[in-house]
Amino acid sequence: MDSFMEWFWFLFWCFFLVAYLVMFVHIVADLFRDRDLSGWWKALWLVALVVVPFVSALVYLIARGHGMAERHAERHAHDRAATDAALRDAARTDPTAQISQAKALLDAGAIDEREYAALKAGVIY
């Protein structure tokens, strides 16, 4: 790199290469996430993305961008519901039941006083 312009064009093309790679990964993920598209159409899109990369990516985003956004929103809603369900299950655990289970383990001799105190402190705090 002998001049500023060579450095500038190098950074310019690196930016577009990285942007295309990110877009390519998103398009391929969307292709495999789409249940309505047959396997042959998915294969055709992948071949087009490899043979004519920029044009096919642009056509894909124009033609299927709305569905891509819907599938992304659906996936986000599913993940959010799963997280909420896991948090509800964790919050539903009754601390008194956990302490009584620890007390039963202590009475059975499975744990000692120190472990019982640690379990009890973990439930309370």
Tab-separated table of all heavy atoms in Angstrom, residues 7 10 32 36 41 72 80 87 102 105 107 114-115:
chain	number	residue	atom	x	y	z
A	7	TRP	N	-5.043	2.351	0.240
A	7	TRP	CA	-5.511	1.922	1.560
A	7	TRP	C	-7.024	2.119	1.686
A	7	TRP	O	-7.733	1.253	2.196
A	7	TRP	CB	-4.767	2.701	2.638
A	7	TRP	CG	-5.198	2.382	4.026
A	7	TRP	CD1	-5.885	3.184	4.873
A	7	TRP	CD2	-4.994	1.165	4.725
A	7	TRP	NE1	-6.115	2.537	6.060
A	7	TRP	CE2	-5.579	1.290	5.996
A	7	TRP	CE3	-4.370	-0.039	4.411
A	7	TRP	CZ2	-5.559	0.280	6.941
A	7	TRP	CZ3	-4.342	-1.045	5.361
A	7	TRP	CH2	-4.935	-0.876	6.600
A	10	PHE	N	-8.838	-0.480	-0.391
A	10	PHE	CA	-8.717	-1.767	0.274
A	10	PHE	C	-9.731	-1.877	1.412
A	10	PHE	O	-10.445	-2.883	1.531
A	10	PHE	CB	-7.294	-1.949	0.817
A	10	PHE	CG	-7.126	-3.182	1.643
A	10	PHE	CD1	-7.087	-4.434	1.048
A	10	PHE	CD2	-7.003	-3.096	3.017
A	10	PHE	CE1	-6.938	-5.581	1.811
A	10	PHE	CE2	-6.851	-4.225	3.792
A	10	PHE	CZ	-6.817	-5.485	3.184
A	32	PHE	N	-32.948	-22.047	5.260
A	32	PHE	CA	-33.155	-23.309	5.968
A	32	PHE	C	-34.232	-23.199	7.043
A	32	PHE	O	-34.768	-24.209	7.476
A	32	PHE	CB	-31.844	-23.808	6.557
A	32	PHE	CG	-30.916	-24.338	5.503
A	32	PHE	CD1	-29.786	-23.636	5.148
A	32	PHE	CD2	-31.201	-25.516	4.840
A	32	PHE	CE1	-28.939	-24.118	4.163
A	32	PHE	CE2	-30.370	-26.008	3.858
A	32	PHE	CZ	-29.230	-25.301	3.511
A	36	ASP	N	-41.884	-23.298	4.054
A	36	ASP	CA	-42.747	-23.250	2.873
A	36	ASP	C	-41.986	-23.505	1.565
A	36	ASP	O	-42.577	-23.894	0.571
A	36	ASP	CB	-43.452	-21.897	2.779
A	36	ASP	CG	-44.373	-21.652	3.961
A	36	ASP	OD1	-44.844	-22.646	4.550
A	36	ASP	OD2	-44.608	-20.481	4.298
A	41	TRP	N	-35.938	-25.391	-4.443
A	41	TRP	CA	-35.836	-23.938	-4.476
A	41	TRP	C	-34.703	-23.470	-3.564
A	41	TRP	O	-33.983	-22.523	-3.890
A	41	TRP	CB	-37.148	-23.276	-4.074
A	41	TRP	CG	-38.131	-23.241	-5.184
A	41	TRP	CD1	-39.259	-23.979	-5.303
A	41	TRP	CD2	-38.046	-22.429	-6.360
A	41	TRP	NE1	-39.893	-23.688	-6.481
A	41	TRP	CE2	-39.165	-22.733	-7.151
A	41	TRP	CE3	-37.139	-21.488	-6.820
A	41	TRP	CZ2	-39.398	-22.128	-8.371
A	41	TRP	CZ3	-37.367	-20.874	-8.036
A	41	TRP	CH2	-38.484	-21.193	-8.797
A	72	HIS	N	-38.059	-14.045	11.180
A	72	HIS	CA	-37.203	-13.570	12.263
A	72	HIS	C	-38.041	-13.164	13.476
A	72	HIS	O	-37.695	-13.494	14.611
A	72	HIS	CB	-36.346	-12.395	11.785
A	72	HIS	CG	-35.462	-11.831	12.848
A	72	HIS	ND1	-34.332	-12.478	13.275
A	72	HIS	CD2	-35.563	-10.706	13.586
A	72	HIS	CE1	-33.762	-11.761	14.238
A	72	HIS	NE2	-34.487	-10.677	14.436
A	80	ARG	N	-38.563	-15.815	23.034
A	80	ARG	CA	-39.036	-15.017	24.172
A	80	ARG	C	-40.012	-15.827	25.028
A	80	ARG	O	-39.946	-15.795	26.259
A	80	ARG	CB	-39.705	-13.748	23.653
A	80	ARG	CG	-40.259	-12.828	24.684
A	80	ARG	CD	-39.118	-12.066	25.335
A	80	ARG	NE	-39.600	-11.203	26.365
A	80	ARG	CZ	-39.518	-9.898	26.324
A	80	ARG	NH1	-38.976	-9.301	25.293
A	80	ARG	NH2	-39.958	-9.180	27.321
A	87	LEU	N	-38.382	-18.853	33.079
A	87	LEU	CA	-38.356	-17.966	34.250
A	87	LEU	C	-39.551	-18.208	35.162
A	87	LEU	O	-39.419	-18.183	36.389
A	87	LEU	CB	-38.323	-16.502	33.799
A	87	LEU	CG	-37.012	-16.033	33.176
A	87	LEU	CD1	-37.156	-14.630	32.635
A	87	LEU	CD2	-35.885	-16.104	34.181
A	102	ALA	N	-34.783	-30.184	52.084
A	102	ALA	CA	-33.442	-30.188	52.680
A	102	ALA	C	-33.493	-30.726	54.109
A	102	ALA	O	-32.607	-31.474	54.528
A	102	ALA	CB	-32.849	-28.774	52.653
A	105	LEU	N	-33.715	-34.424	53.992
A	105	LEU	CA	-32.400	-34.999	53.719
A	105	LEU	C	-31.526	-34.984	54.965
A	105	LEU	O	-30.787	-35.935	55.222
A	105	LEU	CB	-31.709	-34.226	52.586
A	105	LEU	CG	-32.268	-34.409	51.179
A	105	LEU	CD1	-31.595	-33.447	50.204
A	105	LEU	CD2	-32.083	-35.848	50.723
A	107	ASP	N	-32.641	-35.059	58.124
A	107	ASP	CA	-33.177	-36.065	59.042
A	107	ASP	C	-32.828	-37.478	58.594
A	107	ASP	O	-32.636	-38.367	59.437
A	107	ASP	CB	-34.701	-35.924	59.157
A	107	ASP	CG	-35.101	-34.616	59.829
A	107	ASP	OD1	-34.248	-34.012	60.518
A	107	ASP	OD2	-36.276	-34.195	59.638
A	114	ARG	N	-23.915	-28.552	58.121
A	114	ARG	CA	-23.281	-27.512	57.306
A	114	ARG	C	-23.918	-27.458	55.912
A	114	ARG	O	-24.229	-26.378	55.396
A	114	ARG	CB	-21.777	-27.785	57.211
A	114	ARG	CG	-20.991	-26.754	56.442
A	114	ARG	CD	-19.503	-27.092	56.392
A	114	ARG	NE	-19.221	-28.453	55.980
A	114	ARG	CZ	-19.212	-28.890	54.704
A	114	ARG	NH1	-19.488	-28.064	53.737
A	114	ARG	NH2	-18.922	-30.136	54.416
A	115	GLU	N	-24.139	-28.608	55.295
A	115	GLU	CA	-24.770	-28.641	53.970
A	115	GLU	C	-26.225	-28.163	54.040
A	115	GLU	O	-26.698	-27.467	53.146
A	115	GLU	CB	-24.719	-30.066	53.410
A	115	GLU	CG	-23.308	-30.516	53.053
A	115	GLU	CD	-23.244	-31.985	52.713
A	115	GLU	OE1	-23.980	-32.785	53.325
A	115	GLU	OE2	-22.461	-32.321	51.807
